[in-house]
Every structure is written in structure tokens, then in C-alpha cells.
């Protein structure tokens, strides 16, 4: 009987140890930013000539972060002869590409050498340059993408681009969660449904069957640095609750600072808590609330001050 009890105890301990080892142990979490800065697009020119465009972002404007120059080429699929292109994505869902005979025009455009003190006048200049051999304009509309090729004599041909976006860049922000003896978990944070970006992991806590991850976001309020809120920023936190299978079961955002929404904050954090007084200046009477996040458990609560 005594021997049976010992064997039973050993069996139970082994079973519990096996279950514990079966649960994933989180060993780290960080955000990996990935920028895609080029595209290969198949197309049809003049409704009958299959072609391929190979385009890459060249230089980003230092005044407007969504404006950039483009370098690349295109070729007809039947002869593969590469025709150089230089152009500009003007931040308004329009991509303009040129094939110039004069290389100096390529340099002016690619290096974004502004021709006027007024930024938007310079952008208009880039979109309406002359002395080109051929010019392509692709415009992204509400439900379609319209493209044309123009010649110096004013004639034009339709171009069907097998892509729904004229912006040739794409940004990904991957939350990479490493686990002991199990595959990593990868979550694209830009698919959470928010407009936020530039994420960074602040802290994470793992319980028996759940993982909490606190991440922050911080980025300029406007692409255009010379406009309203051009020097402002959007800053805040997002709490993710993730189950043992790597699925997000809850996400909650907290805006701490926003030039666009007229929100500010005071940092009241202590050794035990992340704590912020959030002040909403947009309403007629300042609306204040306190966000408190326990550093040990990452549980949070929000209380109103007035």
C-alpha cells in the first residue's frame, strides 16, 4: 500500500510537470518594423501590350513625409528592353513618372530639388514637367486606379496597372513574441484597426493561460511639417490580451497626447504603477481622467476627476 502511494504521487507530479512544460513560456517580445520600398507591377499599355513596371522609392521629402521621388524602369514583356523612369508620388494618391531624354531632369526630380519657395508650387512643377519623351500618370480613385501614358505631341494611351494602389511603399510593424520550445508568435500591429504607428513594447506579463503586452505609439501628428500640428505628436498606449494559442482576445487603446484631438497628459507614474492624468481640451470644459496600470500585473483602471 505504501509503495502504491509513492508511485501514485510520482505519477501525479510527473503529470503536473508535463502539463507545465506543455504551456508556452514567453522569453521576449519586441516590435520589428519592416519597410517595403519597391514594387513590381504587371500592366497593359494601350489595351494590347503587356508590360512590367519596376519602381523603387528614391528620396523622401524633408517637408512632407508622404511625398517622395521614384526611380525605376518599365519594359514590354515581349522584348525586355528597359526604359528608365523617374517620378514623384505627391502624397495625394497620384504617381507621375517620366522618361526624359535629358538626364539632368532625372536628377532634379529624383533629388527633389524644389524650384519654388512654396512647397506645393514645387510639387505642381514636378507633376507638370515638360520636354519628356513619355509620361505616365496613375491616379487612385475611390474604387479604381486610372492610368495613362502621354507623349510630347499631346496624344495619350490608356494603361491598365494590375494594382490597386499607386503608393509603392508599405510599412509593417510586427510584434514578435518568442516562446521557449515553441514557434514565435507574429502579429502585424498595423492590422489592429487603429491609425497609430511607431509601436514599441513597454512591458509584458504572462499568467497561467494569458499574456498581457503593453505597447506605446508615438509619431508626428501631420505628414506636412509646415501645416497645423506640423510640430505636434500623437502618443499613447495599447494593451493587448493574448491567449495561449497566440490569438488576440482583447485590445484597448489609451490616447495620452494628441495635437489633432487637443489631448494632453501629466505623468504621475510611481514604482508600482504607470499613472497618467489625461486632459481633454477639446470639450468646453476640460475633461480629466486618471489612467492607472499596475506594473506587476498590467491590470488597469480609469477614474474620472470631474
Amino acid at each position: 500500500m505504501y509503495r502504491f502511494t509513492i508511485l501514485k504521487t510520482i505519477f501525479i507530479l510527473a503529470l503536473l510537470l508535463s502539463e507545465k512544460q506543455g504551456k508556452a513560456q514567453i522569453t521576449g517580445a519586441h516590435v520589428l518594423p519592416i519597410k517595403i520600398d519597391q514594387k513590381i507591377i504587371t500592366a497593359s499599355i494601350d489595351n494590347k501590350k503587356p508590360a512590367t513596371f519596376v519602381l523603387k522609392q528614391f528620396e523622401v521629402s524633408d517637408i512632407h513625409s508622404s511625398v517622395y521621388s521614384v526611380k525605376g524602369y518599365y519594359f514590354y514583356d515581349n522584348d525586355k528592353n528597359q526604359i528608365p523612369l523617374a517620378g514623384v508620388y505627391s502624397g495625394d494618391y497620384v504617381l507621375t513618372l517620366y522618361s526624359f531624354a535629358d538626364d539632368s531632369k532625372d536628377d532634379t526630380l529624383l533629388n527633389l530639388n524644389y524650384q519654388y519657395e512654396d512647397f506645393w508650387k514645387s510639387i505642381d512643377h514636378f507633376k507638370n514637367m515638360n520636354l519628356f519623351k513619355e509620361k505616365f500618370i496613375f491616379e487612385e480613385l475611390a474604387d479604381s486606379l486610372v492610368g495613362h501614358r502621354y507623349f510630347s505631341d499631346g496624344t495619350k494611351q490608356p494603361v491598365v496597372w494590375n494594382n490597386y494602389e499607386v503608393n509603392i511603399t508599405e510599412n509593417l510593424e510586427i510584434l514578435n513574441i518568442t516562446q521557449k520550445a515553441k514557434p514565435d508568435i507574429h502579429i502585424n500591429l498595423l492590422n489592429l484597426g487603429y491609425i497609430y504607428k511607431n509601436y514599441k513594447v513597454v512591458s509584458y506579463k504572462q499568467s497561467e493561460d494569458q499574456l498581457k503586452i503593453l505597447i506605446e505609439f508615438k509619431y508626428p501628428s501631420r505628414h506636412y511639417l509646415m501645416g497645423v500640428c506640423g510640430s505636434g505628436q500623437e502618443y499613447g498606449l495599447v494593451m493587448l490580451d493574448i491567449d495561449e494559442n497566440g490569438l488576440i482576445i482583447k485590445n484597448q487603446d489609451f490616447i495620452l497626447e494628441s495635437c489633432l484631438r487637443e489631448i494632453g497628459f501629466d505623468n504621475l507614474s510611481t514604482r508600482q504603477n504607470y499613472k497618467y492624468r489625461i486632459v481633454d481640451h477639446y470639450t468646453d470644459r476640460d475633461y480629466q481622467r486618471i489612467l492607472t496600470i499596475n506594473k506587476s500585473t498590467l491590470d488597469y483602471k480609469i477614474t474620472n476627476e470631474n
Side-chain angles (χ1 to χ4, degrees), residues 40-45 48-54 73-83 160 162:
I40 301 174
I41 306 104
T42 57
S44 175
I45 298 177
K48 57 187 176 183
K49 300 176 181 178
T52 299
F53 288 75
V54 180
Y73 59 87
Y74 84 96
F75 58 82
Y76 291 108
D77 293 353
N78 62 349
D79 64 18
K80 307 296 184 182
N81 181 41
Q82 297 180 5
I83 302 172
V160 177
N162 296 326

Side-chain angles (χ1 to χ4, degrees), residues 169-182:
T169 68
E170 183 178 3
N171 290 289
L172 305 176
E173 294 189 35
I174 306 301
L175 174 60
N176 186 60
I177 304 170
T178 55
Q179 306 181 97
K180 186 176 181 180
K182 284 196 173 185

Side-chain angles (χ1 to χ4, degrees), residues 52-151:
T52 299
F53 288 75
V54 180
L55 303 172
K56 187 178 189 308
Q57 183 185 68
F58 189 81
E59 183 167 317
V60 180
S61 168
D62 56 359
I63 298 177
H64 197 302
S65 60
S66 65
V67 173
Y68 57 84
S69 61
V70 176
K71 185 175 184 178
Y73 59 87
Y74 84 96
F75 58 82
Y76 291 108
D77 293 353
N78 62 349
D79 64 18
K80 307 296 184 182
N81 181 41
Q82 297 180 5
I83 302 172
L85 295 171
V88 63
Y89 175 69
S90 45
D92 55 355
Y93 303 102
V94 177
L95 175 65
T96 307
L97 302 170
Y98 298 92
S99 175
F100 291 117
D102 184 352
D103 292 341
S104 65
K105 286 187 173 292
D106 284 17
D107 294 338
T108 296
L109 184 53
L110 292 174
N111 295 316
L112 295 177
N113 294 329
Y114 305 122
Q115 304 298 299
Y116 303 94
E117 291 186 4
D118 184 287
F119 173 75
W120 295 112
K121 190 173 182 180
S122 291
I123 296 301
D124 286 339
H125 168 76
F126 291 145
K127 294 169 67 174
N128 295 281
M129 299 176 73
N130 52 24
L131 301 181
F132 54 83
K133 293 189 294 185
E134 52 185 326
K135 172 183 179 180
F136 294 90
I137 298 179
F138 298 99
E139 183 174 6
E140 188 179 328
L141 303 178
D143 56 356
S144 62
L145 189 150
V146 176
H148 289 94
R149 176 167 69 167
Y150 297 84
F151 296 95

